[in-house]
Amino acid sequence: MVLGADDLKQLEALESRLTQSFAADELNSRYYEGTYRPPVMGLAVPPELRMFFTLANWCRTTADAVADRMKMRSFYLPGEDAASVELREGWDANNLDSEANIHHKELLITGRGFVSVGSNEEDPDHPLIQIESARELAVDVDHRHKRIKSAARFYGDEGEGPKLATLYLPNETRWLTKGSQGWSVDKVDEHNLGRVPLVMFLNKRRLGKWDGVPEFQDVKPFVDAAARSLTNLQLAQETHAVPQKYVLGMSKGDFVDKSGNPIPAWEAYFNAIWANGNKDAKVGQFSASDLKNFHETVDHYARLAASVSGLPTRYFGLTSVNPAAEGAIRADESQLVQNVENKQAEWGDGWGWVMGLYERFRTGEWVEGSRIKTEWFDAGTPTYAQRADALTKMYGNGNGLIPRRAALEELGFSEAKIDRYERYAADEASAALTALEKDLNDI
């Protein structure tokens, strides 16, 4: 079936929008992968010596440091106090413990990310939740209601443009193929949701803007600056760090072996120049250059990168002799932890909408207002012993602020493990009671 004129116009507009973002996405990807080479004037390092180029990949450090702390714990349906077993089962069925980590990382690199939900013909009880590439997907946003009006994913590019596409509309999803006659419809899923089954996530969202910002956007200038300094350092190591030698009173003919053959340049440089038969020759060496200025410059850029990213300076290689104490680590990471917690709150709403769509596909009914709450693991880095000690005090042997099960949850144990531990505790209590009754009977 040939795509209609209105849908074709919409599809072409979305493809044009995706094309416009390609250059920026490619640049950010290269920054993250550490393959981008900033332009240089060529004053200190000529083009033929760019083999010495060295990059400090602080962009990857900045993105990964945040992504590694985005760990989902559980979901809560509206009005429920206990975590939803069904939603957790759907999360596990779609391998989202690992897929969500990829999603968060890509979101931090490009500034935007997408998750789609759809029917699962092979397993209707567990609808499909798929992480979509922001580099393949463009959306048209309803600014008034802050939701997606339509979206399209383009893929199957073999050098002549994409050959396949998926068009997401409020009541149906269409799979398209591009042939000699243009785009045609291969398959249609009439879900009748009344909304596009796609959720958009944005990093560092601002009002009125729907493209997001890479996590390392402010770090990129310092990565470029540090790369130039490190490249100059590499060149200086080859030319100025090794003491330069000089000789006076010798001619080219003096650099020959006992058979009269010319001595290779490197051999003359490292060996022969120290022993020669010319009594009038004077040999000496210049002082080696101090490369401390390069080290201090790179450290300065690292501190600037830490200041704009909110990461501790030790993440950029600036460490002290003595390891930081636990309290100092928490204080040092306060800005990073606050940044992650803000993202957990914002992206948690996005994941709530994803699981709301999941429930709609699974049960045919909308969750009331899609008000599904998310719970994340602690974004900080307390030691296990520190957390266990604090929770033990809060439990207070049954007389504290929280019950035992809550303490086990805070330690990060799964519901299944907590149930198993509770059975162990009940068995131990039963065995202790039996032993006490036996002792009383023996008296």
Side-chain angles (χ1 to χ4, degrees):
M1 181 176 64
V2 178
L3 194 65
D6 291 341
D7 289 339
L8 178 61
K9 183 179 179 180
Q10 191 172 38
L11 186 70
E12 290 175 344
L14 290 168
E15 186 175 12
S16 175
R17 186 171 301 175
L18 184 64
T19 302
Q20 293 173 9
S21 65
F22 176 81
D25 290 342
E26 179 67 19
L27 179 62
N28 289 323
S29 179
R30 291 176 63 192
Y31 264 108
Y32 177 79
E33 295 293 341
T35 59
Y36 175 70
R37 292 193 172 196
V40 295
M41 296 180 65
L43 298 179
V45 182
E48 59 270 18
L49 294 179
R50 292 205 71 192
M51 68 179 71
F52 293 104
F53 179 84
T54 305
L55 179 71
N57 195 358
W58 296 333
C59 290
R60 186 191 294 269
T61 299
T62 303
D64 287 358
V66 175
D68 291 344
R69 294 168 183 260
M70 302 290 294
K71 303 295 184 184
M72 183 69 67
R73 173 183 281 178
S74 54
F75 295 94
Y76 291 82
L77 290 168
E80 297 291 335
D81 295 329
S84 172
V85 176
E86 292 79 12
L87 293 182
R88 183 69 212 193
E89 184 178 330
W91 180 273
D92 293 338
N94 286 279
N95 300 316
L96 288 177
D97 272 338
S98 58
E99 291 291 299
N101 183 54
I102 298 173
H103 169 65
H104 295 151
K105 193 167 295 185
E106 292 294 324
L107 172 55
L108 293 165
I109 295 171
T110 63
R112 65 193 189 284
F114 302 92
V115 179
S116 65
V117 184
S119 304
N120 187 351
E121 298 84 356
E122 298 180 358
D123 185 4
D125 292 333
H126 300 103
L128 290 175
I129 302 176
Q130 295 181 307
I131 308 303
E132 305 290 352
S133 171
R135 303 180 67 182
E136 295 181 343
L137 208 147
V139 298
D140 184 17
V141 178
D142 181 346
H143 288 220
R144 181 184 178 189
H145 297 97
K146 297 182 180 179
R147 62 188 179 199
I148 299 174
K149 292 192 295 185
S150 63
R153 176 179 173 239
F154 299 90
Y155 52 104
D157 192 340
E158 298 178 356
E160 300 178 356
K163 300 296 184 183
L164 302 172
T166 304
L167 181 61
Y168 300 92
L169 299 172
N171 289 311
E172 62 183 30
T173 300
R174 302 178 182 179
W175 286 267
L176 314 173
T177 301
K178 189 175 185 180
S180 58
Q181 302 299 319
W183 290 101
S184 60
V185 181
D186 287 345
K187 180 183 175 183
V188 178
D189 178 13
E190 296 182 0
H191 47 70
N192 295 316
L193 294 177
R195 57 159 296 177
V196 174
L198 189 75
V199 178
M200 178 169 64
F201 294 72
L202 296 176
N203 186 50
K204 299 185 177 181
R205 182 171 70 91
R206 296 186 60 192
L207 291 177
K209 295 187 177 182
W210 302 97
D211 48 5
V213 179
E215 187 69 16
F216 48 73
Q217 182 69 22
D218 297 333
V219 177
K220 290 193 287 188
F222 304 117
V223 170
D224 293 348
R228 296 186 184 98
S229 295
L230 289 169
T231 302
N232 291 337
L233 173 60
Q234 282 277 80
L235 186 61
Q237 286 179 214
E238 297 290 332
T239 58
H240 295 75
V242 178
Q244 300 294 309
K245 304 176 181 65
Y246 67 85
V247 59
L248 301 175
M250 292 184 67
S251 64
K252 183 177 180 179
D254 293 318
F255 292 93
V256 296
D257 59 20
K258 59 183 180 180
S259 301
N261 299 317
I263 299 174
W266 69 269
E267 187 176 331
Y269 181 79
F270 285 106
N271 298 311
I273 197 171
W274 295 104
N276 61 79
N278 189 336
K279 63 180 181 178
D280 297 323
K282 296 181 179 180
V283 178
Q285 80 174 26
F286 298 105
S287 299
S289 296
D290 186 0
L291 304 181
K292 183 179 179 181
N293 59 319
F294 291 106
H295 302 162
E296 292 178 345
T297 301
V298 173
D299 288 351
H300 175 63
Y301 290 140
R303 289 186 174 88
L304 291 175
S307 69
V308 299
S309 66
L311 299 180
T313 55
R314 54 191 167 84
Y315 280 45
F316 297 94
L318 301 177
T319 58
S320 60
V321 176
N322 297 320
E326 292 176 359
I329 291 175
R330 295 286 290 187
D332 197 29
E333 294 179 346
S334 60
Q335 191 173 349
L336 168 61
V337 171
Q338 184 63 57
N339 180 29
V340 174
E341 289 178 345
N342 289 339
K343 295 184 190 303
Q344 288 177 343
E346 185 174 349
W347 298 356
D349 291 341
W351 280 115
W353 275 107
V354 170
M355 302 314 293
L357 283 168
Y358 173 86
E359 281 294 274
R360 171 61 176 79
F361 276 99
R362 187 178 73 89
T363 66
E365 301 290 336
W366 286 103
V367 176
E368 181 184 355
S370 292
R371 293 183 293 105
I372 296 176
K373 298 300 181 183
T374 56
E375 184 178 17
W376 303 77
F377 284 107
D378 184 9
T381 55
T383 64
Y384 196 79
Q386 180 185 17
R387 179 182 296 177
D389 180 64
L391 290 172
T392 300
K393 293 175 180 177
M394 294 177 69
Y395 171 56
N397 201 27
N399 299 312
L401 298 175
I402 61 175
R404 179 173 59 190
R405 190 177 185 90
L408 295 175
E409 286 181 355
E410 291 300 320
L411 280 173
F413 296 153
S414 66
E415 292 291 331
K417 182 177 286 188
I418 292 174
D419 290 340
R420 187 166 66 252
Y421 286 173
E422 292 285 29
R423 288 197 301 270
Y424 293 163
D427 292 343
E428 289 178 355
S430 177
L433 180 60
T434 300
L436 178 60
E437 291 176 347
K438 182 177 182 303
D439 291 339
L440 291 175
N441 291 332
D442 293 339
I443 295 176

